[in-house]
Each structure stands twice: as structure tokens, then as C-alpha cells.
């Protein structure tokens, strides 16, 4: 261990999250420090956070090397996490300092430990024993010597905080000051789970065996929606906890966490730690620290939870692994699914990728034997998969500016009669995608982006979906000056809701679209209201496709099944297939059978046919064959280079220069395409130019790109970012 401890004054290399792309030399602070320690170091006139990354380089004037100010109150970063940050940074071509930023997002990391009050069993008995008081005492007895915060204890006992306060006044409950961050309640993996079906039990067994091996492996857990994937992977979590290791469950959408937390509580007797944007600063700080100290056994979170300082991570579950929100599209461009596999492989952990519609990448890895695969073939219980049919829009009689076909209307009507729910799905936010002037034909665009403004009628404004800029709906055409001719063209969910209200005046409607909820809490409330049956017709965007359980939903009507098929995106077919099957999977999750109807103008399109026939393996094989023939991912590699500048010519010049000097890319058998204006050529006032690099599967793409772009000296006006394995091409 001698090389992992630095005596006071020894030369240490410190990595900071500041944008300086190198490890800086310092001297170890008073009392010395461990390798990996979080320290505060002087940097210019400031003091900044840093991590002891190794011994100092000694290549800097020794007389000028300053001492680190102090060691912070946090467990040193383990080697596993340091290596993970280095490898993830190297894979995504992200500077290490920026990677460190992802791993130090703990509020108050440099604060001294602060105190708070907790409550535990006191010495005396209360003067008067009420039911509520007895429940508080019983809860404290049940957890032995543990103490709880006021809110935790009140929740645990199902009483108001004043009951606890009353007991404390009498000394029956003791109020003590402890460091603020207390361990999370212990989870008990040996509480009885739900009895599993034969299929489920076999899958759970497979996962448990993996966990017991104590080695790294990745398993695709594929099962139709409602087949019990969650039940099954909770058994893997249980086994992991039994082994004394920590588990992480990643969910694509925070709105899903509350349902998941309830299920964890049912299964393990307490709630896990949470890590996502909806968590308070105090709880984030507590989670970050407890994960590092082993005071949190299970974390449920968003993709950034991957960078938590786990003490001994034994399992990562990536639920809905195909979901595009796992790709971070700003700053460090990483895919949390792939990084989960990387981190697990460095720490001998298991990965479970759960999905009803896996990504082609994961499907292909399972085919190739790199990942194990477990299938759940049937829905749980009496629930059956929905019947799927196309509605051929060429044969429907619809007036202009209406989108709910007579066939779909009549099916919705039947559900209303039967007291069941329907979902009308359209993956487009707002009221209308285009606002144009009927006098001159001009469309209203964003002033800063090459994008049309989308009308949002609830906000009574036009919104740019690229930059978020809004403006009032003009009365007068900004182009020709004629008044009263501005018209909305095409539908968004708000407009479908308006149509549904007209066609079904007595139905209770709810719109589920991410922009309509100010907070995660408001969204959660709406989802609970829908689940409890207080809604007849849900009108939703892809937000509804993500795993919610609406037991009374029996009909899904897809307003425009052709929508995703139009773009030139590499993944258009795959995405449409996944989305349509996910949305359809919302129907008939309980006893009543479900139906999914797809409105389409091209019912014979191969993707639409594959969706309807349910021949998933056939679809993936065909899609895989096409990608393989084209050398496209996952059978070849892609990287996007995005250059932006306020001056279009400057961005293009740099793109052209890169394209001309493509030697390093050609050396690995790769090709550079472009430069071309990005599909959205201007965002937030900056012009955007793209290059696409395509390379054979085994090629050392990252190092070639590094050799290619590192000679470029970027002027302050230009920005260049590299997107390895790009998911979106806008
Ligand atoms: P998935 O994650 O595959 O969509 P879930 O695990 O959410 O499926 O299961 C769907 C529903 O069926 C849930 O309400 C779940 O509680 C229930 N369920 C699944 N398996 C069982 C089981 N073995 N016993 C009781 N209920 C189950
Ligand atoms: Zn804009």
C-alpha cells in the first residue's frame, strides 16, 4: 500500500474538473493523503476541488509547486472509478477533467460535515399510549438501534411528525444530533417476492447464477411489455444484495421512478437511494456519500448515476435499454448503456439490459454470443398481447384539418361505452408544427435557428423546439403584413386533443406531453390520475410509451404511424418499430384484452408490416442484414464531427480543411463524408456543419480521430465536438 499513500509534502498529481486538460503537480497537504483522495487545491487565485490521481510528474519547477490546502470529508475515489473515467473519456474522446465533473456532482462536497437531528428509541415509556404512539415505538423496535429523521420515522409509522415530537418531549424517543448524511434503510432481500411463473423463474435463476459467479457478464432480458421483466431483475438485485454488493437500476424517465420505488419497497421493505434531477440537494448529497460508504445498497437513477462512487458495485440494470434518452447529447457525449457495460467489466459486475424492443446493437451482441440472452415470452397472468391492425388512411373519409379517422372514432366510442380507456398517440408536442400565412405562404421560423416555430396553444405562444425561444402568435404576417391570415398547419398532440374533445364531447381527456408539466411531481400526479381510471381518453407523445401501467387501457390509436419513417435517419426503421410496439404494449395490460390500431398511408411498408405481424426476430434479421451490407453500426463504426460558429464560412472552412487532411482516417480504412450543413443548419444563432466518419468495425477509430483533429488549433469563435456512435444526426 506504500504507493497509495502520500506523506505530507510528497509530490502528488491532482486532476481537477477545471478545463485544464492535464494532471497538475501539488504537494500532499498536512497529514498526507491517500491516492484517490478528494482535496482542495489552490489554482491561480481560487481554491478548487480535485482528486489525487497519482504521484506528481515532477516536470514543473519544484520551487513553485504549491501544497494542497486540505483533504475533503469524502471517501477517496476508488481505482475502479478512476480507471472507468479514463476509459470512458478515451472512448468518447472527452477530456478527463470533463469526465471528473460527471463524477463530482455532489452538492456540498467541500463543506464540512454538518449535523441534523435523528430520532431513536428513548429510555422512558410515554405517559399515555395511543395507537399512533405505539406504531412509532414498534417501528423503532423493529429496526433495532437505528435512528431516523423526523419525516422518515413519521412515514415509517404512518403518523404525523407531531406524534414523534410528542414522544420526544417525554423522552420515550430520543432526539440526537448526528452527521447529516445517514445511511439509507437496510433492504431485506429475503422478504418473500411474488411467486414467479415458470418462465420468470427460469430467467431469474439465470440472472442469479450470473451474480453468484462474481464475474462480469451482460445479459439481454427480453420480454414483451407486461411479461414481468421488473419482477425478474428485482430477483437479480436481491441476489446481489445477499452477496453484500451494491446494485444500480437505471431508468430512462424520472416519471417512472415513483412506481419503481413502490415496487422496491414491496419487495425489500424499504426504499432505495434515488439519483436524478428531481431529487433535493440534501438527498443528492446523502446519496452520493452513502453510495461511497456502503450506506446505500440500491440506487435507482438516471444515466448520471453511473458516475457515483460505488463501494462495491455488483449489478447494473439498464431498464428500457433501447431508450434514446440514455444517450447524453450535450457536453460529454456518452451512451449510458454502453458505459454501464464498461464500468461493470472493470468491477466484475453483472449487467442486465431489459427491453421489449432491444436496440439493434444489443440484439446483435446477443446473436454474436457477446451477451447472454433470456426471454420472457408471455405476458403475466391473463393479460394477452394486443391485437394489431392497420387503418388504411387512403380509404378513410376525413375532412381537412382532422386526423382521427372514422374507423378509429368508432373503436374509441366502443371503449367509452364499455368504460375502458383509449390512448391516442402522436409523437409531436404542441398544437401545430407549422404556422403559415395564407396570404403569402410564409412560415414562421425561429430567429436563431433554421427551424419552424411550433404553436403551443396552452402557452398561447410559438416555441422553437431547438433552442426554446418563444414568441407570441402573430396576428399580422411578419413577411407580407396582411392581418388575420395566419393559420396552423398539421397536428400536434394539443390539436388532437381539441379534435377529440369535439368528437367525444362527454369524454374526460388528459394530455401527456413533457412540455405540459412544470415539475416531475405534476407529471406523476397526472399519471396516477390516469392509472386510477379518472380519464377516458389519453392523448400522448412518446412520454406514454415509457413503461407506465394503465390497467384500464384497452385501445391504442396511433395517429400517424408513418411519421418516423420519413427521415433519412439510419435508425428510422428501428425507432419506428420500437416506438410502435412500445406504445401498442400499453394496451391490455390487465384482464381486458387490448387492441392497437395504426393509422397509415402505406400499410404495405415493410416496417409497418413487421410491426403488425409481430415477427420481431424477422424484423431484426432484415434490419441487421441491411446494416451489415452497408457497413453501418453495429457492423461498422460511425462518428459525427460537429463544427459550429456564428460565421457560416468559418465553420465550413474548418470542415473542408478536415476533409482534405483525412489521412489518419484513411489509414484505418475509414472514410470522411462532408462537410455538409447539418440538417438543422443553425441553432441558437450558430451555424452548424457536420462531417461523418465511417470506419470498419475493428478499427481504432478514437485514436485515429484524435490524430486527425489534434493538429487543429481552434480559434475562440469555433467549436468542434466529436460524437462517437452518434444516435441523432440533426
Ligand atoms: P415488464 O417490466 O416486463 O413490463 P412488470 O414486471 O412491470 O413487466 O410486470 C407487469 C405487471 O404484472 C406488474 O403489475 C407486475 O406486478 C405483474 N406481475 C408480473 N409478474 C408477476 C408475478 N409473478 N406475480 C404477480 N404479479 C406479477
Ligand atoms: Zn430556435
Amino acid at each position: 500500500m506504500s504507493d497509495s499513500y502520500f506523506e505530507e509534502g510528497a509530490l502528488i498529481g491532482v486532476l481537477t474538473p477545471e478545463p485544464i486538460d492535464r494532471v497538475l503537480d501539488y504537494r500532499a497537504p498536512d497529514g498526507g493523503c491517500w491516492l484517490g483522495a478528494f482535496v482542495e487545491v489552490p489554482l491561480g487565485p481560487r481554491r478548487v476541488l480535485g482528486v489525487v490521481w497519482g504521484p506528481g510528474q515532477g516536470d514543473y519547477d519544484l520551487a513553485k509547486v504549491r501544497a494542497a490546502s486540505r483533504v475533503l470529508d469524502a471517501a477517496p475515489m476508488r481505482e475502479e472509478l478512476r480507471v472507468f473515467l479514463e476509459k470512458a473519456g478515451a472512448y468518447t474522446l472527452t477530456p478527463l477533467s470533463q469526465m471528473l465533473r460527471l463524477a463530482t456532482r455532489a452538492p456540498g462536497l467541500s463543506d464540512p460535515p454538518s449535523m441534523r437531528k435523528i430520532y431513536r428509541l428513548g429510555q422512558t415509556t410515554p405517559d399515555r399510549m395511543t395507537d399512533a404512539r405505539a406504531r412509532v415505538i414498534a417501528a423503532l423496535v423493529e429496526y433495532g438501534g437505528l435512528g431516523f429523521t423526523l419525516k422518515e420515522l413519521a412515514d415509517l409509522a404512518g403518523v404525523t411528525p407531531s406524534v414523534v415530537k410528542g414522544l420526544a418531549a417525554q423522552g420515550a424517543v430520543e432526539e440526537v444530533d448526528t452527521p447529516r448524511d445517514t445511511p439509507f434503510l437496510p433492504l431485506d432481500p429475503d422478504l418473500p417476492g411474488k411467486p414467479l411463473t415458470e418462465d420468470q423463474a427460469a430467467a431469474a435463476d439465470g440472472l442469479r447464477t450470473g451474480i453468484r459467479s462474481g464475474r462480469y457478464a451482460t445479459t439481454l432480458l427480453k420480454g414483451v411489455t407486461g411479461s414481468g421483466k421488473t419482477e425478474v431483475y428485482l430477483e437479480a438485485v436481491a441476489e446481489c444484495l445477499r452477496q453484500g454488493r451494491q446494485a444500480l437500476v437505471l431508468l430512462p424517465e424520472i416519471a417512472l421512478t415513483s412506481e419503481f420505488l413502490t415496487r422496491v419497497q414491496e419487495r425489500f421493505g424499504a426504499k432505495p437511494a434515488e439519483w436524478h434531477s428531481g431529487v433535493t440537494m440534501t438527498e443528492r448529497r446523502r446519496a452520493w456519500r452513502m453510495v461511497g460508504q456502503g450506506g446505500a445498497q440500491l440506487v435507482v437513477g438516471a444515466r448520471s448515476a453511473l458516475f457515483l462512487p460505488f463501494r462495491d458495485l455488483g449489478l447494473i440494470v439498464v431498464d428500457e435499454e433501447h431508450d434514446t434518452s440514455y444517450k447524453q447529447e450535450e457536453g460529454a457525449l456518452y451512451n449510458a448503456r454502453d458505459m454501464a457495460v464498461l464500468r461493470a467489466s472493470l468491477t466484475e459486475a453483472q449487467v442486465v439490459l431489459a427491453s421489449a424492443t432491444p436496440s439493434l446493437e444489443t440484439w446483435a451482441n446477443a446473436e454474436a454470443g457477446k451477451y447472454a440472452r433470456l426471454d420472457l415470452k408471455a405476458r403475466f397472468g391473463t393479460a394477452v398481447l394486443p391485437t394489431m391492425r392497420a387503418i388504411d388512411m387512403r380509404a378513410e373519409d376525413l375532412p381537412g384539418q382532422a386526423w382521427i379517422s372514422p374507423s378509429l372514432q368508432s373503436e374509441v366510442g366502443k371503449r367509452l361505452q364499455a368504460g375502458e380507456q383509449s390512448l391516442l398517440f402522436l409523437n409531436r408536442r404542441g398544437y401545430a408544427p407549422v404556422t403559415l400565412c395564407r396570404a403569402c405562404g410564409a412560415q414562421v421560423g425561429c430567429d436563431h435557428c433554421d427551424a419552424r416555430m411550433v404553436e403551443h396553444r396552452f402557452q398561447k405562444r410559438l416555441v422553437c423546439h431547438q433552442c426554446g425561444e418563444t414568441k407570441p402568435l402573430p396576428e399580422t404576417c411578419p413577411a407580407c403584413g396582411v392581418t388575420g391570415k395566419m393559420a396552423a398547419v398539421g397536428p400536434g398532440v394539443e390539436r388532437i386533443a381539441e379534435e377529440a374533445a369535439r368528437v367525444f364531447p362527454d369524454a374526460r381527456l388528459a394530455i401527456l406531453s413533457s412540455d405540459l408539466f412544470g415539475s416531475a411531481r405534476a407529471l406523476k400526479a397526472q399519471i396516477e390520475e390516469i392509472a386510477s381510471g379518472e380519464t377516458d381518453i389519453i392523448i400522448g407523445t412518446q412520454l406514454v410509451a415509457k413503461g407506465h401501467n394503465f390497467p384500464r387501457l384497452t385501445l391504442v390509436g396511433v395517429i400517424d404511424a408513418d411519421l418516423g419513417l420519413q427521415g433519412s435517419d439510419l435508425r428510422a426503421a428501428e425507432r419506428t418499430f420500437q416506438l410502435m410496439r412500445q406504445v401498442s404494449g400499453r394496451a391490455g395490460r390487465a384482464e381486458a384484452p387490448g387492441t392497437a390500431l395504426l393509422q397509415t398511408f402505406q400499410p404495405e411498408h415493410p416496417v409497418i408490416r413487421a410491426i403488425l405481424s409481430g415477427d420481431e426476430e424477422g424484423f431484426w434479421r432484415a434490419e441487421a442484414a441491411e446494416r451489415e451490407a452497408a457497413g453501418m453500426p453495429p457492423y461498422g463504426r460511425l462518428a459525427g464531427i460537429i463544427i459550429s460558429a456564428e460565421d457560416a464560412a468559418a465553420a465550413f472552412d474548418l470542415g473542408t480543411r478536415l476533409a482534405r487532411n483525412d489521412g489518419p482516417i484513411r489509414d484505418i480504412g475509414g472514410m470522411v463524408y462532408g462537410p455538409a450543413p447539418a440538417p438543422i443548419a443553425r441553432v441558437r444563432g450558430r451555424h452548424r456543419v457536420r462531417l461523418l466518419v465511417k470506419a470498419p468495425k475493428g478499427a481504432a477509430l478514437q485514436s485515429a480521430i484524435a490524430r486527425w483533429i489534434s493538429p487543429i488549433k481552434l480559434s475562440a469563435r469555433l467549436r468542434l465536438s466529436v460524437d462517437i456512435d452518434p444516435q441523432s444526426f440533426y
Side-chain angles (χ1 to χ4, degrees), residues 194-197 200 224-231 263 380 549 589:
K194 296 192 173 119
L196 299 183
T197 65
Q200 292 173 342
V224 294
T225 36
S227 57
K229 292 184 293 300
T230 312
E231 299 299 334
R263 290 177 74 167
F380 174 72
N549 262 324
R589 305 246 309 171

Side-chain angles (χ1 to χ4, degrees), residues 446 449 464 467:
C446 174
C449 310
C464 170
C467 72

Side-chain angles (χ1 to χ4, degrees), residues 481-607:
V482 173
T483 299
K485 289 282 182 189
M486 300 308 290
V489 180
V493 271
E494 293 177 9
R495 200 167 197 183
I496 299 299
E498 184 183 272
E499 186 181 350
R502 204 165 54 230
V503 182
F504 308 105
D506 299 325
R508 295 165 301 173
L509 307 184
I511 310 186
L512 222 45
S513 175
S514 55
D515 57 303
L516 296 177
F517 298 93
S519 66
R521 190 184 300 263
L523 174 60
K524 190 184 143 199
Q526 175 71 281
I527 285 169
E528 277 166 8
E529 197 178 307
I530 294 173
S532 71
E534 283 167 46
T535 304
D536 300 314
I537 304 176
I538 309 156
I539 297 101
T541 60
Q542 63 167 359
L543 193 61
V544 294
K546 297 189 179 181
H548 305 291
N549 262 324
F550 300 133
R552 291 181 49 248
L553 181 70
T554 59
L555 174 70
V556 171
V558 176
I559 297 296
D560 186 353
D562 307 331
L563 190 59
L565 290 175
Q566 290 150 7
S568 56
D569 193 322
L570 161 73
R571 292 185 174 81
E574 181 187 351
R575 291 274 156 72
T576 303
F577 182 78
Q578 286 163 341
L579 194 55
M580 293 300 113
R581 291 204 62 94
Q582 291 280 341
V583 173
S584 307
R586 296 297 124 222
R589 305 246 309 171
E591 287 77 31
T595 303
L597 298 173
L598 275 58
Q599 296 195 146
T600 171
F601 284 93
Q602 35 186 342
E604 59 294 312
H605 191 292
V607 175

Side-chain angles (χ1 to χ4, degrees), residues 333-536:
L333 307 176
Y334 67 91
N335 188 321
R337 177 195 64 216
D338 300 342
M339 292 304 116
V341 170
L342 172 61
R343 183 154 190 194
S345 71
L346 295 171
T347 182
E348 300 292 4
Q350 296 271 314
V351 180
V352 175
L353 304 178
S355 176
T357 53
S359 59
L360 188 66
E361 274 80 359
T362 298
W363 180 86
N365 277 329
E367 282 294 283
K370 271 177 70 183
Y371 296 171
R373 172 169 167 171
L374 295 166
D375 281 77
L376 298 174
K377 296 230 163 51
R379 279 195 160 180
F380 174 72
T382 48
V384 288
L385 279 172
T387 319
M388 297 182 110
R389 279 202 320 270
I391 294 178
D392 187 345
M393 294 299 277
R394 296 167 304 191
E396 295 285 324
D397 189 15
L398 258 185
Q401 308 302 305
W403 294 273
I404 307 173
S405 67
S407 301
L408 184 53
Q409 285 180 23
S410 111
E411 291 294 321
V412 173
K414 287 184 206 157
R415 299 312 184 286
L416 286 172
Q417 291 275 310
E420 295 167 3
Q421 282 175 337
S422 305
L423 162 67
L424 300 179
F425 174 82
L426 178 64
N427 199 16
R428 206 189 253 151
R429 292 178 288 135
Y431 181 82
V434 180
T435 302
L436 63 68
C437 168
R438 269 178 298 166
C440 75
Q443 301 184 358
V444 184
C446 174
D447 298 336
H448 316 287
C449 310
D450 281 347
R452 291 188 289 233
M453 298 289 271
V454 178
E455 181 181 348
H456 284 245
R457 201 152 277 195
F458 288 117
Q459 300 173 25
K460 298 197 175 59
R461 290 185 84 79
L462 296 171
V463 179
C464 170
H465 284 185
Q466 293 310 315
C467 72
E469 174 77 7
T470 72
K471 53 183 161 189
L473 202 63
E475 268 292 302
T476 302
C477 174
C480 71
V482 173
T483 299
K485 289 282 182 189
M486 300 308 290
V489 180
V493 271
E494 293 177 9
R495 200 167 197 183
I496 299 299
E498 184 183 272
E499 186 181 350
R502 204 165 54 230
V503 182
F504 308 105
D506 299 325
R508 295 165 301 173
L509 307 184
I511 310 186
L512 222 45
S513 175
S514 55
D515 57 303
L516 296 177
F517 298 93
S519 66
R521 190 184 300 263
L523 174 60
K524 190 184 143 199
Q526 175 71 281
I527 285 169
E528 277 166 8
E529 197 178 307
I530 294 173
S532 71
E534 283 167 46
T535 304
D536 300 314

Side-chain angles (χ1 to χ4, degrees), residues 277-327:
S277 58
V279 176
T280 63
M281 286 300 186
T282 321
E283 280 301 296
R284 274 169 85 89
R285 175 193 147 108
R286 178 186 180 202
W288 193 90
R289 284 182 185 256
M290 286 306 127
V291 162
Q293 292 169 24
Q297 295 160 283
L298 171 61
V299 178
V300 45
R303 58 181 181 230
S304 58
L306 259 186
F307 297 92
L308 286 172
F310 288 96
R311 199 171 66 157
D312 183 11
L313 184 58
L315 169 67
I316 307 175
V317 176
V318 185
D319 201 354
E320 312 282 354
E321 69 88 34
H322 61 278
D323 199 286
T324 49
S325 67
Y326 283 122
K327 179 71 187 278

